[in-house]
Amino acid sequence: MTEVVLDCFYRPAENLAVARLEFSLTNTGKKTLQSFTLAYSAMTRAAANASLENAEGLTRIANFHELSPPSGFQLEPGKSWNFVVQGLVNPARHRLDGPKSAYITVFGQIIEVLCNDLDTPPDSDTGERRNVPIGMVDLPIHIVPWPQSIGVSAWTDKITAFHLSEGTSEEKAAAAKINGLSKRLFPDAPFPFRFSASANTHALVLRHDVALSDEAYGIEFSDDQAVLSYGGQPGRDYGLTVLAQIAYGAYVDPGTYRFPATGTIADSPRFGWRGTHLDVSRHFRQKNEVLRLLDILAWGRMNVLQWHLTDDEGWRLEIKAYPELTSSGAKRGPGCQQVGQLGFSSEIYEGSYSQDDVRDIVSHAIDLNIDIVPEIDAPGHSTAVLKTYPKFADQAEPDNSYHSIQGYPNNALNPAMDETYDFLEKVFAEVASLFPSEFIHIGGDEVDVHSWLESPKAQRLMSEENLTGTLELQAYFMGRVRKILAKHGKKLAGWDEVSHGGGIDPDGVLLMAWQKREVTKELIDQGYDVISTPGQHYYLDMVQASGWREPGASWAGVSTPEASYAYEPSDGLDESKLNQLKGVQACIWSEHLTDNALFNHMVFPRIYAVAESGWTSPDRKNWQRFAAASAIFPTL
């Protein structure tokens, strides 16, 4: 039973130095509390020079804050301690920007505190909420993403499934695999494929067509059978998945969706890279959840998962050369090397994947035609590493000499230390052995521009290599990392900041353009191959409406489901350089996604909007049709 409750009220101001968070900690228990400290984590952070009212002793590490009531204060049952933090780093815009979790410490005992949503004056709330309309179906067939060409001349209500009586063992195994995918996603629905003729089933014939590309397929429906032609294994599986979607739509919503009796579908993807990024550092996802997300991607014919395995908040991948990365670096909370962040502060929050877990997940992905690209974030976002192995920092570099945008002090691996590259050599060797992907994503984002400038070793390297400032140091680092990856047969992928400070030779390098939509063109003009993933449209943690009660982040603004669907990644690109736009990617950052209810609210249906942008030609898209279909999309 919760015995302490924390309310928080936001008082905005044009000048963040006078913006305030007003707190009220209420004792709902039966015992008087005294000589305690309060710790809370909140996205709206106190500034370094924040002032306190009726509180003292503020310390802050990123989103973690700890302070105390005035000396001698007693919090009696039913009473409240009211205090103020004035001076904020960033404004609050939505209800989850306040304390996500909190606890008090009384004589070494941890007592969890219930945190209510952040409140704000009514004039700060537009009242707008996420809106996905009921939509309107132009053809009564359920397929997502929408095919490049579809024409149906007649429909039938007599078919409930397809039967594959003839065909090779590989073709039947593929149909059984898609049966399994459908059953995992929709356990209450019937299988779409049978292997002997029966009442109300339609004969299915599979044909390999060497004239089709590897991911292409075509379907011809006639009165007596459906013929699925395919170019390669992915195209075969995609065609079977489309048939499974048709069957599922007709089953779950027969008033809207039907089986084609006669007609054709001709289809192939627009882009070769149709990806989703998943952050498991901020909030860990269990193995079974990752497996289900892969199923969801396969249902939407997405073919890449960028797995964000490391960040400041936790290292999630077993590395046998450095076992402490998961025994210690994957933990945060009371008594850990890292304090609580982003929820669950009162407990030890932990989670990691063994290498056997990874092999199982990679195997499942390969079976679904999905490439898993591991991300080991460097040189920034490395607090989990540097807290676990302090020896990897320049011991002569002053503490707190720089801070990341998230507020972490000295959180970047030092490019001037041999230990940095010895560490990455061993890590990437193991990562390369686990993931067959062509690329390893090395992050490269959000390194503070003051990083390493007070490191004597970095100063010496800059003098020796004629480097100026942090960005050129990072470019030097990227060049060395690229050589390490090449030794293990891997290419470098990274965020768009990899191009900063002079960048690296773009040959074979793949960059994700995330900061704003214009970056896609800028990187392409520099010669890089690019994945479009602008935060304003494809970051699925962004709020979906301006209203205060809508959950999510807002640094990139509001990203409505319709805006995500409508975004066209090729706008403004020179036609001669379109081949450098390799695809699109949704990004699931998890700072706000503390449970599956929030995950599903934020991620769906926008992840399928990105899937359709990656697959479907712009002139074939239809928002109202997509919105109608979204009612039966699978979720986590």
Side-chain angles (χ1 to χ4, degrees), residues 250-286:
Y251 165 75
V252 75
D253 188 1
T256 302
Y257 299 112
R258 306 174 69 187
F259 277 87
T262 57
T264 60
I265 296 174
D267 203 12
S268 61
R270 179 188 183 191
F271 291 118
W273 184 294
R274 305 175 303 280
T276 290
H277 151 287
L278 177 66
D279 166 21
V280 294
S281 176
R282 275 56 177 262
H283 283 106
F284 181 70
R285 291 284 161 189
Q286 299 292 336

Side-chain angles (χ1 to χ4, degrees), residues 63 179 185 237 259 278 312 342 366 378 509 539 619:
N63 299 299
N179 264 353
L185 292 173
D237 291 352
F259 277 87
L278 177 66
D312 292 305
L342 304 170
I366 290 172
V509 173
Y539 271 35
D619 62 343

Side-chain angles (χ1 to χ4, degrees), residues 133-416:
I134 295 175
M136 182 179 300
V137 173
D138 52 352
L139 282 178
I141 186 170
H142 179 67
I143 302 174
V144 61
W146 196 249
Q148 308 298 1
S149 174
I150 179 171
V152 179
S153 54
W155 305 89
T156 179
D157 297 320
K158 297 180 180 179
I159 299 173
T160 61
F162 300 94
H163 71 260
L164 185 61
S165 302
E166 304 296 329
T168 67
S169 59
E170 291 83 4
E171 290 171 341
K172 291 183 177 181
K177 176 174 67 177
I178 303 305
N179 264 353
L181 172 65
S182 178
K183 181 59 70 172
R184 292 192 300 273
L185 292 173
F186 311 107
D188 59 339
F191 287 117
F193 303 110
R194 300 181 66 87
F195 298 93
S196 58
S198 61
N200 298 322
T201 63
H202 203 49
L204 174 63
V205 176
L206 272 65
R207 292 177 180 167
H208 182 221
D209 186 344
V210 295
L212 294 176
S213 64
D214 200 43
E215 292 188 296
Y217 70 93
I219 306 172
E220 184 174 352
F221 299 94
S222 61
D223 290 335
D224 60 341
Q225 65 182 11
V227 178
L228 168 61
S229 302
Y230 60 91
Q233 176 189 326
R236 180 197 65 200
D237 291 352
Y238 294 152
L240 289 167
T241 301
V242 165
L243 291 172
Q245 290 180 347
I246 292 171
Y248 179 69
Y251 165 75
V252 75
D253 188 1
T256 302
Y257 299 112
R258 306 174 69 187
F259 277 87
T262 57
T264 60
I265 296 174
D267 203 12
S268 61
R270 179 188 183 191
F271 291 118
W273 184 294
R274 305 175 303 280
T276 290
H277 151 287
L278 177 66
D279 166 21
V280 294
S281 176
R282 275 56 177 262
H283 283 106
F284 181 70
R285 291 284 161 189
Q286 299 292 336
K287 175 182 174 181
N288 66 316
E289 295 176 304
V290 178
L291 292 172
R292 181 167 177 87
L293 180 62
L294 289 169
D295 286 346
I296 289 168
L297 300 187
W299 193 249
R301 303 200 294 287
M302 301 181 91
N303 65 345
V304 178
L305 175 67
Q306 180 184 324
W307 202 3
H308 189 87
L309 289 161
T310 75
D311 213 299
D312 292 305
E313 291 82 0
W315 183 288
R316 305 299 179 197
L317 174 65
E318 178 190 14
I319 300 295
K320 294 186 183 298
Y322 297 100
E324 293 85 359
L325 286 171
T326 46
S327 64
S328 178
K331 297 180 180 180
R332 61 181 189 251
C336 298
Q337 290 178 335
Q338 294 199 77
V339 295
Q341 302 282 356
L342 304 170
F344 311 103
S345 295
S346 65
E347 60 192 77
I348 295 177
Y349 185 83
E350 62 182 316
S352 62
Y353 306 99
S354 71
Q355 294 195 1
D356 284 341
D357 289 336
V358 169
R359 292 185 185 97
D360 290 343
I361 291 169
V362 167
S363 176
H364 188 69
I366 290 172
D367 199 41
L368 297 173
N369 306 294
I370 296 172
D371 184 26
I372 297 185
V373 177
E375 181 180 358
I376 305 298
D377 213 342
H381 291 282
S382 293
T383 298
V385 176
L386 294 169
K387 284 289 186 180
T388 304
Y389 297 106
K391 64 183 180 181
F392 292 154
D394 183 349
Q395 301 304 308
E397 183 179 29
D399 294 338
N400 295 290
S401 60
Y402 63 90
H403 289 80
S404 73
I405 193 171
Q406 288 84 12
Y408 285 95
N410 293 31
N411 75 327
L413 297 173
N414 196 313

Side-chain angles (χ1 to χ4, degrees), residues 298-543:
W299 193 249
R301 303 200 294 287
M302 301 181 91
N303 65 345
V304 178
L305 175 67
Q306 180 184 324
W307 202 3
H308 189 87
L309 289 161
T310 75
D311 213 299
D312 292 305
E313 291 82 0
W315 183 288
R316 305 299 179 197
L317 174 65
E318 178 190 14
I319 300 295
K320 294 186 183 298
Y322 297 100
E324 293 85 359
L325 286 171
T326 46
S327 64
S328 178
K331 297 180 180 180
R332 61 181 189 251
C336 298
Q337 290 178 335
Q338 294 199 77
V339 295
Q341 302 282 356
L342 304 170
F344 311 103
S345 295
S346 65
E347 60 192 77
I348 295 177
Y349 185 83
E350 62 182 316
S352 62
Y353 306 99
S354 71
Q355 294 195 1
D356 284 341
D357 289 336
V358 169
R359 292 185 185 97
D360 290 343
I361 291 169
V362 167
S363 176
H364 188 69
I366 290 172
D367 199 41
L368 297 173
N369 306 294
I370 296 172
D371 184 26
I372 297 185
V373 177
E375 181 180 358
I376 305 298
D377 213 342
H381 291 282
S382 293
T383 298
V385 176
L386 294 169
K387 284 289 186 180
T388 304
Y389 297 106
K391 64 183 180 181
F392 292 154
D394 183 349
Q395 301 304 308
E397 183 179 29
D399 294 338
N400 295 290
S401 60
Y402 63 90
H403 289 80
S404 73
I405 193 171
Q406 288 84 12
Y408 285 95
N410 293 31
N411 75 327
L413 297 173
N414 196 313
M417 296 178 60
D418 290 338
E419 293 89 341
T420 293
Y421 303 103
D422 291 342
F423 168 74
L424 292 175
E425 171 73 51
K426 293 175 182 176
V427 168
F428 287 137
E430 294 191 35
V431 172
S433 72
L434 291 169
F435 294 92
S437 171
E438 177 183 8
F439 292 96
I440 291 178
H441 198 293
I442 50 75
D445 61 315
E446 296 185 326
V447 173
D448 183 74
V449 294
H450 300 102
S451 298
W452 315 304
L453 297 184
E454 296 186 46
S455 160
K457 292 183 178 180
Q459 291 290 331
R460 186 161 51 251
L461 175 65
M462 286 193 288
S463 176
E464 293 170 354
E465 297 290 335
N466 195 27
L467 303 173
T468 302
T470 295
L471 297 183
E472 292 189 10
L473 274 170
Q474 174 165 309
Y476 170 87
F477 169 88
M478 291 298 168
R480 291 194 60 174
V481 168
R482 183 185 192 177
K483 292 178 180 178
I484 293 173
L485 295 180
K487 285 174 57 179
H488 299 289
K490 301 296 184 181
K491 295 179 181 179
L492 185 150
W495 301 107
D496 56 55
E497 292 97 322
V498 169
S499 68
H500 294 179
I504 56 178
D505 182 349
D507 183 40
V509 173
L510 182 69
L511 298 187
M512 279 65 180
W514 71 274
Q515 295 191 68
K516 53 184 179 180
R517 62 181 300 164
E518 293 82 4
V519 172
T520 297
K521 184 178 188 305
E522 293 169 3
L523 294 175
I524 285 176
D525 287 344
Q526 293 173 46
Y528 292 101
D529 288 342
V530 178
I531 303 299
S532 177
T533 179
Q536 294 76 10
H537 302 283
Y538 287 171
Y539 271 35
L540 305 188
D541 61 319
M542 290 298 113
V543 290

